Amino acid sequence: MRTREEELKGLGADFTFGFIQVMDGEKDPRNLLVAFRIVHDLISRDYSLGPFVEELFEVTSCYFPIDFTPPPNDPHGIQREDLILSLRAVLASTPRFAEFLLPLLTEKVDSEILSAKLDSLQTLNACCAVYGQKELKDFLPSLWASIRREVFQTASERVEAEGLAALNSLTACLSRSVLRADAEDLLDSFLSNILQDCRHHLCEPDMKLVWPSAKLLQAAAGASARACDHITSNVLPLLLEQFHTHSQSNQRRTILEMILGFLKLQQKWSYEDKDDRPLSGFKDQLCSLVFMALTDPSTQLQLVGIRTLTVLGAQPDLLSSGDLELAVGHLYRLSFLEEDSQSWVAALEASGTLATLYPVAFSSHLVPKLAEELGIEESYLARGDGPTKCSRHRRCLQALSAISTHASIVKETLPLLLQHLCQMNKGNTVAGTSEVIAVCQSLQQVAEKCQQDPESCWYFHQTAIPCLLALAVQASMPEKEHSVLKKVLLQDEVLAAMVSVIGTATTHLSPDLAAQSVAHIVPLFLDGNISFLPENSFPGRFQPFQDGSSGQRRLVALLMAFVCSLPRNVEIPQLNQLMRELLELSCCHSCPFSSTAAAKCFAGLLNKHPAGQQLDEFLQLAVDKVEAGLSSGPYRSQAFTLLLWVTKALVLRYHPLSSCLTDRLMGLLSDPELGPAAADGFSLLMSDCTDVLTRAGHAEVRIMFRQRFFTDNVPALVRGFHAAPRDVKPNYLKGLSHVLNRLPKPVLLPELPTLLSLLLEALSCPDSVVQLSTLSCLQPLLLEAPQVMSLHVDTLVTKFLNLSSSPSMAVRIAALQCMHAVTHLPTPVLLPYKLQVIRALAKPLDDKKRLVRKEAVSARGEWFLLGSPGS
Amino acid sequence: MVGGGGMGGGLLENANPLIYERSGERPVTAGEEDEQVPDSIDAREIFDLIRSINDPEHPLTLEELNVVEQVRVQVSDPESTVAVAFTPTIPHCSMATLIGLSIKVKLLRSLPQRFKLDVHITPGTHASEHAVNKQLADKERVAAALENTHLLEVVNQCLSARS
């Protein structure tokens, strides 16, 4: 057929008939696949079928629905799904089969077998792509009856989904057909049938059939603009009326949720003419209904109201400015509801979405209210009032950041937040650490929202960063009266919060603008050049690298946040000096916070530096520093931290020196003093940082670095474990479990047979961190590699049961989760243990902790079902 | 013990029942996360055990059909007693014994052995209330029912996590 199409077609319908005779009675799935393809070609390439259309249909449709299970060890690899799809391609390839196929499909949808139902509905769905009104006309009532029955009665979500999809395609097909002028439009009568059968169920919001009915109507309405219009104009007035007829909150919620579904469908169709939009006539009713929902005491109804408001807002030109003002007022009120209501979260989210569409409404009606609120909070904070006020303060900050979704709003909210932060640190206000952190978090969220728009991004950067640096520098100045409140800014947590603001505000800068900024900030730290800070009359000099004040050294963290987030191609002035100063500070005997910040900053820069002589020099300096520090003396732990971060920087970029440094780190596992820290260091090496060495911050992070680290180092770790003296063995296990834990499971599976014995040994390790990490490593393996794991079922069951009475609650929970996961192993392997396990699991059912009992219940329940009928 | 009619795709006894809202997951409190503080077994915990049991007829849970409610659970941890009253959807529901049996089995599997269980029909809500209660209270009859493969299969289906 591929090469002699002309000649074969010349044979006319005889060829088709001959083929039908050959194909008749075929059973081998390999031949069937070929035969189905030939039939498909006969039809699609327009071979003459002559009078044999029905015969051709019979000879293929007798295989429908496909019921084929490939034999085990089938060498041909033909799956049931292959046959289903190729037969479906044939059956749905031509409208000429319609009169034979549609009755067959109706019959099979009505069958008892789930797979037959699914296949029939999917095939019907496929047919609708080529059929028209003519083919469907006579079968619509029976098709609708079958689909309706399936959706109303089924227990299977898949049948329901396929039924709805088929109804959607049917309606789309009817909507699309071009009609002769005199023909009756079947779409209208079909939709009227659906409405007639479903409408009345919508009036019973407590009953089971309400949702299936709504889903059917929505599936039909989702097919075309015409269908949507027809159904919405019928259903919406009914639902609006029903909302008022029913007074209970949960009934109203169901009704509003249905309305929401219909409104969402509107978004699929764009109406060019404003007056054509079917919703405009219902706008006022819908708004008043939504506002009723928003003022209802039921949280659930509020939540649906908020979602409906968002959808209404997304309709172009629907809401008037008066509606918006009311809406903003409601959102403001909801944003300050109590903590346990979920409405405030939803209200903030909706505010963010709507603010992008209606920035003016939010600027004029919400920002002033929030500014006023913030002023009141400042005065409360000044008086040192209790926690209730604090939560209002938080909410206000969250609202400000939530609505900063539009450039024009950011220009109002950012100055407000910064001014607030300055106020909190001025003279008489006593701000708690957590309040300052809350402002920083809010700033960080605003920064995140600005990232995508270059202009807002630069606006945020050049407004916020000098202000934050000025505040921090001010706080680090030596003062006569050591005011407590200024020191708040220098605390670890507050600085960490500022670090994330600065990082977020820097990563998306264009290289040009970033270069402008770096020319100010590096000299600030190296030379104390404060000229670009907004308020720069300080009582002393700022020399974080030279002077002895520990407060100033802590601010190196802020430098780190900035330089480690810059795009890679931005040149850093005075780099050589900067790197040396950082190295010096990293091993200096000051507070761990500043030496770690210096080490991280050094590592961050190292990771991005292009290979070459300068990089090698930096590395040599670092290695010398580390070795000098590790050899002896008071700086061992600082030198270790530096080693760890430098190693991480190099591992991430596959630098050749990384293996050498990793070996050094591994050597420290048996160090009596640093061993445990070295073990935990493996966790840092394998995990993702949030502040430096991140992909978002343009660090060089190779995608496969974990796999590579695993292949390069795990054999050595295992050897080290076997060779190590008893007392340091746990360090090796801990290091290993950190590596395994972070590894993608597909990489781990092939390595499992060699490592499993070690992991099982790790389960007996008394360290609860090792236990926990090993359990969380084994749990997914039980689900994904049941065959390998079932070889060790005896050990696994025994050890998990032992750990289920561990003193640590987290270990007990993890062990019971593993006991649950064990049930995924092949049942015959488990049955010998069933009684013993069920008996043993009775004990954790009486655990003193509820969370443990919960896991015990679900594990024990599953064990009961093993090998039992009906499971 | 139970008339198995109505199963197997025939007509449902009650095709369009009232549906009730599911309660959310129990929020985890700080006390529950504290290793030292013991959490006693309370009514909500018992209710959480039984609320997700599947109805034998509908693709719905006993909670959604309001067959079980938290207010109808009485529990005393120190005295090791649990009493659960359940309400069949209609007074002639032929599934009542089966539902009661499912609740009983679920509690037997999930509670420490020290507990004494009492599962019964909410007074006045079923035509043959006493007969059903008597069957559910009789240990030997419950054990015998679970020896019956067909019954055990249906009970297990009610107790399986929904796929």
Side-chain angles (χ1 to χ4, degrees):
Chain A
M1 285 172 82
R2 219 170 288 147
T3 53
R4 292 278 185 269
E5 189 169 321
E6 282 304 306
E7 289 87 329
L8 289 175
K9 280 188 175 167
L11 296 173
D14 287 347
F15 174 62
T16 309
F17 182 63
F19 174 76
I20 292 172
Q21 284 179 319
V22 174
M23 182 180 170
D24 194 13
E26 182 55 58
K27 282 201 186 87
D28 189 312
R30 288 169 294 176
N31 296 343
L32 279 177
L33 275 181
V34 180
F36 291 155
R37 204 157 52 230
I38 294 174
V39 182
H40 188 260
D41 284 353
L42 287 176
I43 294 166
S44 63
R45 290 173 189 246
D46 217 10
Y47 282 79
S48 163
L49 306 186
F52 304 116
V53 176
E54 186 168 1
E55 279 75 9
L56 190 61
F57 173 77
E58 289 300 335
V59 82
T60 46
S61 67
C62 62
Y63 298 99
F64 183 86
I66 296 277
D67 181 23
F68 166 69
T69 319
N73 317 321
D74 175 27
H76 312 296
I78 294 178
Q79 295 297 314
R80 179 192 160 94
E81 199 62 17
D82 301 329
L83 287 164
I84 289 182
L85 290 177
S86 67
L87 176 57
R88 185 176 303 156
V90 171
L91 296 179
S93 63
T94 171
R96 282 191 280 175
F97 283 167
E99 56 177 313
F100 316 114
L101 179 59
L102 290 173
L104 177 69
L105 291 180
T106 316
E107 179 194 323
K108 296 297 174 190
V109 172
D110 300 352
S111 98
E112 290 283 309
I113 304 157
L114 182 73
S115 62
K117 282 184 198 290
L118 288 172
D119 197 358
S120 309
L121 289 167
Q122 285 164 343
T123 306
L124 175 60
N125 194 341
C127 290
C128 289
V130 294
Y131 287 6
Q133 295 210 352
K134 182 163 72 78
E135 286 77 23
L136 293 173
K137 187 168 191 282
D138 295 336
F139 304 99
L140 283 174
S142 59
L143 287 172
W144 162 239
S146 296
I147 292 176
R148 186 191 60 211
R149 194 200 50 236
E150 289 312 311
V151 175
F152 274 2
Q153 280 197 9
T154 185
S156 150
E157 281 176 23
R158 283 181 62 206
V159 172
E160 182 192 87
E162 292 302 338
L164 294 173
L167 178 62
N168 182 277
S169 307
L170 269 178
T171 317
C173 177
L174 294 175
S175 311
R176 174 176 73 223
S177 304
V178 182
L179 295 178
R180 284 201 321 275
D182 55 342
E184 173 205 13
D185 188 358
L186 292 174
L187 178 66
D188 283 338
S189 57
F190 185 60
L191 294 177
S192 303
N193 263 336
I194 301 181
L195 279 163
Q196 194 191 341
D197 289 348
C198 294
R199 249 179 87 98
H200 58 281
H201 290 302
L202 300 186
C203 307
E204 303 168 330
D206 290 325
M207 305 304 242
K208 180 190 166 193
L209 290 182
V210 65
W211 273 113
S213 302
K215 284 180 187 169
L216 284 166
L217 287 167
Q218 284 165 3
S224 70
R226 255 188 329 138
C228 190
D229 204 8
H230 184 124
I231 291 182
T232 314
S233 60
N234 258 288
V235 166
L236 213 47
L238 174 73
L239 288 175
L240 287 167
E241 176 206 306
Q242 286 298 313
F243 186 92
H244 296 288
T245 323
H246 291 86
S247 56
Q248 286 178 28
S249 297
N250 58 349
Q251 299 171 329
R252 291 187 155 191
R253 170 188 157 206
T254 305
I255 296 168
L256 188 56
E257 212 155 346
M258 289 191 278
I259 294 180
L260 175 64
F262 288 105
L263 293 180
K264 276 187 183 160
L265 290 171
Q266 294 287 329
Q267 293 171 324
K268 284 176 79 172
W269 324 109
S270 59
Y271 294 92
E272 275 154 28
D273 190 355
K274 195 178 169 186
D275 301 328
D276 272 1
R277 290 192 194 119
L279 284 189
S280 26
F282 300 111
K283 193 264 290 178
D284 288 332
Q285 287 189 67
L286 282 167
C287 280
S288 76
L289 198 134
V290 165
F291 295 148
M292 276 172 82
L294 295 182
T295 42
D296 195 275
S298 148
T299 306
Q300 295 307 320
L301 185 51
Q302 287 170 10
L303 286 173
V304 188
I306 293 169
R307 276 158 56 208
T308 313
L309 178 62
T310 316
V311 171
L312 284 178
Q315 301 279 335
D317 304 320
L318 185 68
L319 299 184
S320 69
S321 61
D323 300 330
L324 283 167
E325 188 177 342
L326 279 173
V328 168
H330 282 295
L331 289 172
Y332 173 77
R333 182 180 51 79
L334 292 168
S335 304
F336 286 92
L337 284 183
E338 314 75 63
E339 196 64 38
D340 55 352
S341 135
Q342 303 145 319
S343 301
W344 68 269
V345 185
L348 289 185
E349 203 178 316
S351 303
T353 315
L354 291 172
T356 49
L357 302 167
Y358 308 100
V360 180
F362 281 83
S363 293
S364 47
H365 302 304
L366 191 56
V367 176
K369 279 188 186 170
L370 290 172
E372 192 187 329
E373 186 75 30
L374 215 50
I376 299 172
E377 295 307 323
E378 272 161 20
S379 57
Y380 279 134
L381 284 172
R383 277 189 266 134
D385 274 9
T388 46
K389 300 291 180 295
C390 283
S391 79
R392 217 171 153 79
H393 177 233
R394 296 278 163 86
R395 213 55 80 65
C396 195
L397 294 171
Q398 282 162 331
L400 280 170
S401 60
I403 56 168
S404 301
T405 48
H406 191 277
S408 71
I409 300 181
V410 174
K411 293 223 161 81
E412 298 182 39
T413 53
L414 178 59
L416 262 176
L417 286 168
L418 290 174
Q419 195 200 349
H420 180 58
L421 190 62
C422 296
Q423 284 297 328
M424 290 174 87
N425 287 284
K426 280 237 171 79
N428 45 8
T429 316
V430 185
T433 315
S434 55
E435 300 310 304
V436 178
I437 291 177
V439 182
C440 290
Q441 282 167 344
S442 196
L443 282 169
Q444 199 251 344
Q445 278 154 15
V446 178
E448 248 168 49
K449 298 199 167 88
C450 290
Q451 282 182 335
Q452 296 316 319
D453 174 27
E455 210 176 307
S456 303
C457 184
W458 178 234
Y459 170 74
F460 187 97
H461 185 87
Q462 79 182 153
T463 314
I465 291 192
C467 176
L468 291 176
L469 287 173
L471 279 171
V473 170
Q474 174 77 43
S476 75
M477 286 296 157
E479 267 182 292
K480 276 163 239 136
E481 4 89 68
H482 276 285
S483 60
V484 194
L485 49 110
K486 290 205 171 159
K487 300 302 168 212
V488 165
L489 279 182
L490 298 180
Q491 287 175 6
D492 291 4
E493 305 86 32
V494 176
L495 282 174
M498 285 168 71
V499 162
S500 78
V501 180
I502 296 178
T504 314
T506 306
T507 52
H508 283 62
L509 282 186
S510 75
D512 297 346
L513 297 174
Q516 279 183 40
S517 193
V518 79
H520 292 305
I521 293 175
V522 173
L524 168 70
F525 280 84
L526 285 181
D527 314 323
N529 183 346
I530 53 170
S531 56
F532 84 106
L533 299 180
E535 287 177 47
N536 53 12
S537 57
F538 300 121
R541 280 176 62 73
F542 180 58
Q543 292 173 313
F545 288 111
Q546 286 101 40
D547 118 303
S549 134
S550 74
Q552 297 200 351
R553 282 199 299 261
R554 296 171 74 81
L555 300 196
V556 170
L558 303 184
L559 174 67
M560 167 198 89
F562 173 72
V563 291
C564 291
S565 305
L566 289 169
R568 244 181 270 173
N569 53 0
V570 174
E571 198 175 328
I572 293 165
Q574 302 168 276
L575 180 64
N576 201 5
Q577 191 200 342
L578 178 62
M579 293 297 264
R580 283 163 200 272
E581 296 285 11
L582 286 169
L583 214 48
E584 208 50 52
L585 182 58
S586 73
C587 283
C588 139
H589 186 72
S590 61
C591 67
F593 182 86
S594 33
S595 59
T596 306
K600 284 162 84 172
C601 188
F602 183 83
L605 292 170
L606 206 59
N607 172 272
K608 289 188 202 174
H609 199 79
Q613 199 197 346
Q614 201 182 20
L615 180 68
D616 296 341
E617 277 172 33
F618 290 150
L619 280 172
Q620 193 54 51
L621 284 172
V623 170
D624 292 348
K625 194 87 193 166
V626 167
E627 289 307 332
L630 281 181
S631 59
S632 68
Y635 307 125
R636 283 198 86 203
S637 92
Q638 282 91 340
F640 165 75
T641 306
L642 178 64
L643 169 66
L644 194 58
W645 282 100
V646 171
T647 310
K648 178 155 177 89
L650 298 187
V651 164
L652 290 180
R653 66 181 276 186
Y654 292 179
H655 190 279
L657 196 64
S658 65
S659 61
C660 183
L661 294 178
T662 315
D663 290 345
R664 185 77 182 91
L665 201 60
M666 234 182 281
L668 290 175
L669 284 172
S670 44
D671 184 291
E673 191 186 15
L674 295 173
D680 284 331
F682 280 87
S683 157
L684 188 129
L685 287 184
M686 299 301 281
S687 56
D688 291 317
C689 301
T690 50
D691 45 3
V692 291
L693 296 170
T694 60
R695 276 207 190 89
H698 312 283
E700 184 165 358
V701 182
R702 308 290 282 264
I703 356 173
M704 309 283 271
F705 83 90
R706 288 191 184 87
Q707 285 88 319
R708 187 163 159 148
F709 189 87
F710 172 84
T711 337
D712 289 352
N713 298 299
V714 163
L717 269 174
V718 174
R719 276 198 306 278
F721 168 79
H722 289 300
R726 190 152 254 307
D727 55 331
V728 294
K729 271 188 199 284
N731 294 342
Y732 284 87
L733 282 178
K734 203 168 184 177
L736 185 71
S737 47
H738 284 313
V739 177
L740 298 183
N741 223 356
R742 302 279 177 172
L743 205 65
K745 296 305 169 219
V747 184
L748 191 51
L749 287 183
E751 308 295 332
L752 198 65
T754 50
L755 287 174
L756 198 55
S757 63
L758 202 71
L759 284 173
L760 295 178
E761 194 157 346
L763 283 179
S764 315
C765 175
D767 183 329
S768 68
V769 175
V770 175
Q771 290 169 353
L772 199 56
S773 138
T774 311
L775 288 170
S776 61
C777 191
L778 288 172
Q779 199 252 4
L781 290 174
L782 287 163
L783 306 180
E784 285 162 41
Q787 297 300 335
V788 189
M789 300 298 273
S790 59
L791 301 175
H792 303 272
V793 61
D794 194 62
T795 326
L796 288 169
V797 166
T798 318
K799 299 219 168 167
F800 291 155
L801 286 177
N802 280 342
L803 289 176
S804 71
S805 51
S806 147
S808 149
M809 164 174 149
V811 172
R812 294 203 296 279
I813 290 177
L816 289 167
Q817 283 167 342
C818 283
M819 272 320 283
H820 189 167
V822 169
T823 59
H824 289 261
L825 301 188
T827 310
V829 179
L830 298 175
L831 282 180
Y833 299 90
K834 183 172 170 178
L835 279 180
Q836 172 203 344
V837 169
I838 285 176
R839 224 175 297 132
L841 286 178
K843 192 174 156 241
L845 288 181
D846 214 358
D847 198 283
K848 69 173 177 184
K849 298 306 296 173
R850 182 170 296 130
L851 297 173
V852 179
R853 295 198 292 266
K854 193 174 156 212
E855 298 301 336
V857 165
S858 71
R860 195 163 189 254
E862 280 308 308
W863 275 88
F864 264 107
L865 294 179
L866 281 176
S868 189
S871 53
Chain B
M1 158 170 195
V2 173
M7 302 296 295
L11 277 179
L12 298 177
E13 280 186 358
N14 186 2
N16 192 10
L18 269 166
I19 310 277
Y20 292 77
E21 198 176 329
R22 264 183 285 185
S23 36
E25 285 287 298
R26 179 180 196 156
V28 177
T29 63
E32 285 175 354
E33 279 170 345
D34 185 334
E35 300 253 4
Q36 307 310 322
V37 185
D39 317 315
S40 65
I41 296 180
D42 57 14
R44 172 68 201 250
E45 185 166 340
I46 304 293
F47 180 62
D48 277 339
L49 292 173
I50 56 177
R51 70 188 178 98
S52 54
I53 296 176
N54 303 323
D55 180 82
E57 275 198 331
H58 294 284
L60 294 165
T61 63
L62 297 189
E63 179 184 22
E64 287 167 310
L65 293 168
N66 215 32
V67 172
V68 294
E69 293 165 276
Q70 190 173 330
V71 291
R72 300 197 191 282
V73 173
Q74 312 295 328
V75 59
S76 161
D77 195 354
E79 289 165 28
S80 301
T81 55
V82 169
V84 173
F86 67 100
T87 319
T89 50
I90 43 175
H92 294 281
C93 180
S94 66
M95 296 290 149
T97 323
L98 184 57
I99 293 172
L101 187 62
S102 300
I103 297 174
K104 183 120 191 181
V105 171
K106 175 72 186 184
L107 293 177
L108 281 171
R109 291 178 182 179
S110 310
L111 284 175
Q113 277 168 341
R114 62 186 167 91
F115 276 89
K116 187 177 178 320
L117 306 178
D118 170 24
V119 176
H120 58 270
I121 292 182
T122 312
T125 61
H126 196 268
S128 36
E129 184 186 323
H130 294 291
V132 175
N133 286 347
K134 208 173 150 193
Q135 293 192 48
L136 288 173
D138 187 335
K139 268 186 193 168
E140 280 171 20
R141 295 186 77 169
V142 170
L146 294 178
E147 299 283 311
N148 174 332
T149 320
H150 172 67
L151 263 181
L152 184 58
E153 181 179 343
V154 183
V155 168
N156 279 340
Q157 274 164 358
C158 293
L159 301 186
S160 298
R162 178 83 37 73
S163 56

